[in-house]
């Protein structure tokens, strides 16, 4: 079992994330939303540094926040603090093509970083 599978198994045993939330996480590559030199740490359940002394939240925190939104699909979601774009990507997967995610970020370097990451 790889690190990502271990993490998902941990969630299935300890949290009540729904199938759509888990599937959305599985479809994305967290390594596309972090610094290249940290790719081997992508599925450690810890926050990782990105740019300008900011971090990408640990995967479990992202999933808890996502689950709390109770998304069904087709919603419009406004996110404050895009960071690397990972949370926005998960939300977008869940709400689907009929939904819309609008995310805002004040740090120019993170805006550019997130756009590049989301294009991957």
């Amino acid at each position: 079992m790889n690190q990502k599978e271990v993490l998902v198994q941990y969630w299935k045993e300890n949290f009540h994330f729904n199938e759509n939330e888990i599937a959305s996480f599985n479809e994305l590559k967290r390594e596309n939303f972090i610094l290249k030199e940290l790719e081997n740490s992508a599925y450690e359940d810890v926050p990782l540094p990105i740019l300008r002394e900011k971090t990408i939240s640990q995967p479990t925190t992202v999933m808890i926040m996502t689950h709390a939104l109770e998304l069904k699909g087709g919603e419009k979601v406004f996110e404050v603090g895009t960071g690397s774009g990972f949370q926005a990507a998960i939300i977008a997967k869940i709400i689907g093509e009929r939904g819309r995610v609008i995310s805002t970020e004040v740090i120019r370097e993170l805006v550019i970083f997130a756009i590049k990451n989301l294009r991957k």
Side-chain angles (χ1 to χ4, degrees), residues 8 12 15-27 63 67 71 94:
V8 169
K12 287 179 179 179
F15 294 90
H16 298 287
F17 304 142
N18 66 47
E19 289 180 27
N20 199 16
E21 293 162 350
I22 296 283
S24 296
F25 177 83
N26 275 328
E27 288 177 33
M63 293 300 288
H67 182 72
L71 300 169
I94 293 170

Side-chain angles (χ1 to χ4, degrees), residues 25 28-35 38 41-51 53-62 65 79 81-90 110 113 117:
F25 177 83
L28 293 171
K29 295 181 178 181
R30 188 171 185 245
E31 56 266 36
N32 288 341
F33 294 86
I34 62 175
L35 300 174
L38 297 174
S41 301
Y43 297 101
E44 291 179 15
D45 201 19
V46 297
L48 296 172
I50 46 176
L51 302 172
E53 299 181 24
K54 303 301 179 194
T55 61
I56 180 175
S57 296
Q58 72 186 76
T60 297
T61 300
V62 171
M65 292 187 304
E79 177 190 46
T82 309
S84 70
F86 188 61
Q87 179 80 60
I90 288 180
L110 287 176
F113 186 59
N117 296 340

Side-chain angles (χ1 to χ4, degrees), residues 97-108:
E97 290 183 17
R98 298 188 75 205
R100 182 171 177 108
V101 178
I102 299 169
S103 188
T104 183
E105 177 58 63
V106 297
I107 300 172
R108 180 171 166 67

